[in-house]
Amino acid sequence: MDVGLTEDQIALQETTRRFLEEQSPIGALRRLADKDESFDPAVWRQGAELGWVGLFVPEDHGGFSEGFQGVVDAAIVAEELGRVVFSGPFHAVATVAFAVAQAGSDAQKAALLPALVSGDAIAAWCLSGTGAQSGVEPGGLAVTTRGDDHVIDGIAGYVQDAAIAQHLLVTARSDAGLSQFLIPTDTPGVTILPLELVDLGRRLAHVRFEDVVIGAEALVGEAGAAAAQVERQLQVAVALQCAETVGVVDRALEFTLDYVKQRYAFGRPIGGFQALKHRLADHVTQLEGAKAAAAYAAKAIQDESPDAAIAVSVAKSQCGKWGTEIVRDCLHMHGGIGMTWEHDIHFYLRRAVSNEALWGTPAAHHERLCALAGL
Amino acid sequence: MNTEHLDTDEQRAFRLKAREWMAGRMPPRDPQEEPCDLGDGDQIAKDRRSQRILWDGGLAGITVPAAYGGQGLDKRFEDIFLEEAEPYRLPWVFGNAFNIVLPDLLAHGSEHLKTLYIPAMLRGEHMWCQLLSEPSGGSDLFGLLTRAEKRGDKWVINGSKVWTSGGHFCDYGICLARTDPAVPKHQGLTMFIVDMRAPGVTINPIQLVRGGSHFCQEFFDDVEIPEDHVVGEVNGGWTVAQTHLAQERISMARGWHIGLRTPAKAETIEVQTSYLDTARQLGLEKDRHARVLIGEAIAIDAVYAMTTARVGKGIRSGALPPTSGALSSLMAANTAVRRTALLSELVGPAGVAVLPGEEEPVIGMDRVCTHRIGGGTTEMQRNIISERHLELPREPSLDRNLPFNQLKHNSSAMAKS
Ligand SMILES: Cc1cc2nc3c(=O)[nH]c(=O)nc-3n(C[C@H](O)[C@H](O)[C@H](O)COP(=O)(O)OP(=O)(O)OC[C@H]3O[C@@H](n4cnc5c(N)ncnc54)[C@H](O)[C@@H]3O)c2cc1C
Ligand SMILES: Cc1cc2nc3c(=O)[nH]c(=O)nc-3n(C[C@H](O)[C@H](O)[C@H](O)COP(=O)(O)OP(=O)(O)OC[C@H]3O[C@@H](n4cnc5c(N)ncnc54)[C@H](O)[C@@H]3O)c2cc1C
């Protein structure tokens, strides 16, 4: 992450790494995939107990951070999760916890936050539609009023962890603007349509809303006035994803370097051939850029800097593009063995490729950068 | 935004002194002007005057020891100075002197050389060039052919240097030459100070692709150098060159022209508004493809700035090794190449052809000139990164242990054109 971590942050990084290496090494993901499962609820609960979700939740609801104070620490956790291609629902739960802690009613906070912090409950965020702008712009769901109730219709696309969640945070548009709601997944009219994924340690679904009627108590914040809050959530979601990608690439490059140093061809280690050396030099340079950009984005959000929105899209541009490029080439440098199910590298590449596409492609973030710059 | 609120009393006093001294004396900064045009004699004359103004105001060599004419202050004072200097053009043509020769002298120079040359440099009296590359090759620096022989109490130099930035305007050059060809190539080199106006020095400017003349070829015919003008040890030139090259990389990584971007500004993302203006001029502001190109240009500029800041911070704190400067260098080159490709795609034919009197088709020329060759090619940076940073095996070399005079050299070497 940042080159200037505090002692506490280094301790957080080390405990998280040790826990994951013991409880959720990459081999665990292969075993889950062999059984057609995508995550281990017991490991997720233990991770949550380490305080991962609590980074976004104030003390009186079971966590230990106020406001934006947990973003840099959460990015440190996300990077560690990336290093083992972790399969638990950290990203979705953390983002919803952040949203509810920021904008939820007291009743919503009391009902949901302690259960998210402890790992007992899982929540997912329905933000976008299924089009190319999915992950960067709200869309897909429309809300109207019927008496005192709100009625939601449409399809939310690529919703992370909807299939295992008990709660949905829903962003929907009306003529007045954006509104957010917190509802149980089993609310009548809600249908989860699980998707088949490239990334084997993740779950995505489209979520169909057909005449879903909900009461005013489900509103998160004010009706029609959620745009700024949605932007903040989006920033947190993208920044955490970028930090995760950094971990994915960092680890993949690490074991690729080990491999090219000990694999011999033509009487020397293949890592001595300039064709590979120069590509690896480019990769570590772009990875340094990804680390710099991801760290900058997390800190900008935490400090509520005016350039946070731009920083987040800059980070996604760099991490999205180079994440895939670097890990793809790491697989290549393994030769035939890199193409096998037994080897770890494909899990890394699957995660890198999915992270590039989800929460806004680099191209979508480039367009967003133009808008943020005033074009 | 500046960091005035962090000043101690002493720093505040220094800030006010700098502010007051420069006002009305230093030339204003013109964003259109090239920071350093070594083909422009007027700019060089102007910068010599500015350096003298800084000297007179006690603002030259802020971190240089007082014994050599500097101010003997820490880096915080330099940052304060740079914040205050933001409205002015700084004497950027002295880049070689301050970025490279000064640290070489401080680390390896004798007391005599330090007192002789550092104060004069700070007064703006001496422009310096670096005489390293030769017609036979620049990447393989330590394979250079220029000879220096001891005759009586003088060293006598024969050979040729080339691609010397600013050679024709410089007063002195720091020059690596071979003093012992009977030992392996790294061991027989010595670093000298050469008076560019000494008898036997011929300087020929070389025209660059953009026109103008920025660098030169020099021929040395029995050029005499005083015995005490050796920097470091005789046959210890390799050691001095390590400092030299490391300083060059660090300076390139940080930005060659100190103060062009102030430290405080480097902490926020700056978006080049010219990208947006170009899109508007071409009526492309709503075009999705154009927006994707511009967005990427904004992103890579920001990533480059963040990476440089991160690497600099990491090197200073020890979290990253000093060779990491090569990461910033390589990213600078890759970013420049990508940026010009993006802008060329954005503007299309307008980047390569315009009516007379219209603005120069700069984007296309940027594309022609965007390479990293000076200061070590990108291949050399990649070798450094892969070998020293990633600890991958070194290139097999045929020349490391053999005496230099038994190696193969370029047939074209030393040929006088
Ligand atoms: C789908 C598939 C089908 C195959 N089918 C067959 C088959 O039917 N029969 C068969 O015999 N083989 C088959 N192969 C094997 C294939 O030919 C080898 O995988 C390939 O030649 C690479 O060898 P390797 O895997 O040992 O990698 P290595 O040779 O160990 O290479 C590892 C990496 O180092 C690089 N490298 C190696 N030497 C150098 C060098 N000098 N300079 C620069 N880079 C270098 C390589 O490009 C590669 O990226 C198949 C492979 C695949 C993936
Ligand atoms: C604008 C500019 C300013 C300069 N200013 C100065 C100056 O002030 N003083 C000075 O001394 N020099 C200066 N130089 C020279 C510069 O340092 C050299 O041009 C550079 O080191 C390359 O040397 P060369 O031109 O001889 O190319 P070569 O060394 O002949 O290289 C030719 C090509 O081969 C590649 N190559 C060489 N060896 C390897 C290898 N082992 N692996 C892979 N590829 C390799 C190089 O990367 C390059 O692409 C300047 C150059 C430029 C362009």
Side-chain angles (χ1 to χ4, degrees), chain A residues 259-260 263-266 268 270-271 273-276 279 329-339:
Chain A
Y259 186 75
V260 302
R263 172 84 174 167
Y264 276 68
F266 305 96
R268 0 183 215 145
I270 57 172
F273 294 114
Q274 203 176 61
L276 301 198
R279 266 144 62 201
D329 201 32
C330 286
L331 186 150
H332 180 94
M333 289 186 195
H334 280 82
I337 193 79
M339 299 276 293

Side-chain angles (χ1 to χ4, degrees), chain A residues 274 278, chain B residues 96 130-134 137-140 162-165 214-215 373-377 379-380 383:
Chain A
Q274 203 176 61
H278 281 191
Chain B
N96 270 330
Q130 31 170 347
L131 302 162
L132 303 180
S133 305
E134 300 193 357
S139 300
D140 182 13
V162 73
W163 321 132
T164 316
S165 300
H214 161 126
F215 56 24
I373 293 170
T377 65
E379 285 74 27
M380 295 304 108
N383 280 348

Side-chain angles (χ1 to χ4, degrees), chain A residues 101-161:
Chain A
Q102 290 277 309
S105 66
D106 288 343
Q108 285 167 333
K109 288 181 192 170
L112 187 59
L113 291 179
L116 292 181
V117 170
S118 66
D120 291 328
I122 292 171
W125 180 20
C126 303
L127 167 68
S128 306
T130 55
Q133 296 303 311
S134 178
V136 262
E137 272 172 24
L141 300 179
V143 59
T144 51
T145 45
R146 191 180 296 158
D148 288 341
D149 290 333
H150 301 267
V151 184
I152 303 178
D153 279 288
I155 292 189
Y158 309 102
V159 182
Q160 237 160 255
D161 291 318

Side-chain angles (χ1 to χ4, degrees), chain A:
Chain A
M1 201 31 21
D2 205 337
V3 283
L5 293 187
T6 64
E7 269 175 38
D8 284 352
Q9 287 169 337
I10 290 169
L12 171 69
Q13 192 176 45
E14 281 171 0
T15 26
T16 311
R17 187 171 300 183
R18 214 169 318 121
F19 169 80
L20 289 168
E21 278 167 3
E22 279 165 22
Q23 299 302 323
S24 189
I26 184 79
L29 182 56
R30 184 179 295 104
R31 283 192 295 281
L32 286 169
D34 281 337
K35 287 190 290 181
D36 237 354
E37 288 169 12
S38 74
F39 89 117
D40 180 341
V43 174
W44 166 244
R45 196 164 289 131
Q46 287 172 44
E49 276 165 16
L50 288 177
W52 294 347
V53 183
L55 290 168
F56 288 114
V57 175
E59 248 175 86
D60 39 350
H61 296 296
F64 35 80
S65 281
E66 293 297 330
F68 294 84
Q69 288 315 307
V71 179
V72 169
D73 288 354
I76 291 170
V77 171
E79 185 178 334
E80 293 306 314
L81 300 177
R83 289 177 62 87
V84 297
V85 196
F86 186 65
S87 55
F90 173 74
H91 191 270
V93 174
T95 310
V96 175
F98 170 79
V100 174
Q102 290 277 309
S105 66
D106 288 343
Q108 285 167 333
K109 288 181 192 170
L112 187 59
L113 291 179
L116 292 181
V117 170
S118 66
D120 291 328
I122 292 171
W125 180 20
C126 303
L127 167 68
S128 306
T130 55
Q133 296 303 311
S134 178
V136 262
E137 272 172 24
L141 300 179
V143 59
T144 51
T145 45
R146 191 180 296 158
D148 288 341
D149 290 333
H150 301 267
V151 184
I152 303 178
D153 279 288
I155 292 189
Y158 309 102
V159 182
Q160 237 160 255
D161 291 318
I164 57 168
Q166 299 85 42
H167 308 271
L168 296 176
L169 173 66
V170 182
T171 303
R173 198 183 289 285
S174 70
D175 293 341
L178 293 176
S179 304
Q180 298 204 102
F181 304 90
L182 195 58
I183 62 169
T185 310
D186 56 13
T187 304
V190 173
T191 314
I192 311 282
L193 308 163
L195 303 169
E196 285 176 8
L197 270 64
V198 165
D199 184 346
L200 300 171
R202 188 145 273 168
R203 298 140 301 276
L204 294 173
H206 292 338
V207 183
R208 188 161 52 219
F209 289 73
E210 285 167 307
D211 202 38
V212 177
V213 182
I214 48 190
E217 74 286 352
L219 263 173
V220 179
E222 272 180 45
Q229 172 62 22
V230 170
E231 166 65 24
R232 282 192 288 272
Q233 290 163 208
L234 182 71
Q235 289 175 15
V236 169
V238 176
L240 291 180
Q241 184 203 49
C242 288
E244 186 192 58
T245 301
V246 165
V248 169
V249 179
D250 205 26
R251 180 70 194 120
L253 202 53
E254 240 169 58
F255 64 70
T256 302
L257 280 165
D258 288 344
Y259 186 75
V260 302
K261 285 176 189 173
Q262 47 100 3
R263 172 84 174 167
Y264 276 68
F266 305 96
R268 0 183 215 145
I270 57 172
F273 294 114
Q274 203 176 61
L276 301 198
K277 281 166 76 174
H278 281 191
R279 266 144 62 201
L280 287 163
D282 278 328
H283 296 340
V284 74
T285 301
Q286 294 299 351
L287 172 60
E288 208 59 32
K291 287 177 177 176
Y296 190 105
K299 186 150 188 328
I301 299 171
Q302 174 152 323
D303 295 348
E304 299 180 58
S305 303
D307 61 1
I310 290 183
V312 160
S313 289
V314 166
K316 181 60 200 265
S317 167
Q318 178 73 8
C319 297
K321 172 173 175 177
W322 290 102
T324 296
E325 186 64 29
I326 296 171
V327 184
R328 191 193 53 67
D329 201 32
C330 286
L331 186 150
H332 180 94
M333 289 186 195
H334 280 82
I337 193 79
M339 299 276 293
T340 62
W341 174 254
E342 275 69 32
H343 201 276
D344 294 342
I345 185 76
H346 69 97
F347 291 108
Y348 286 82
L349 186 53
R350 289 164 186 273
R351 177 65 49 95
V353 166
S354 316
N355 278 5
E356 179 181 353
L358 300 169
W359 294 104
T361 58
H365 281 275
H366 295 154
E367 287 191 81
R368 191 176 120 96
L369 279 170
C370 282
L372 291 168
L375 192 69

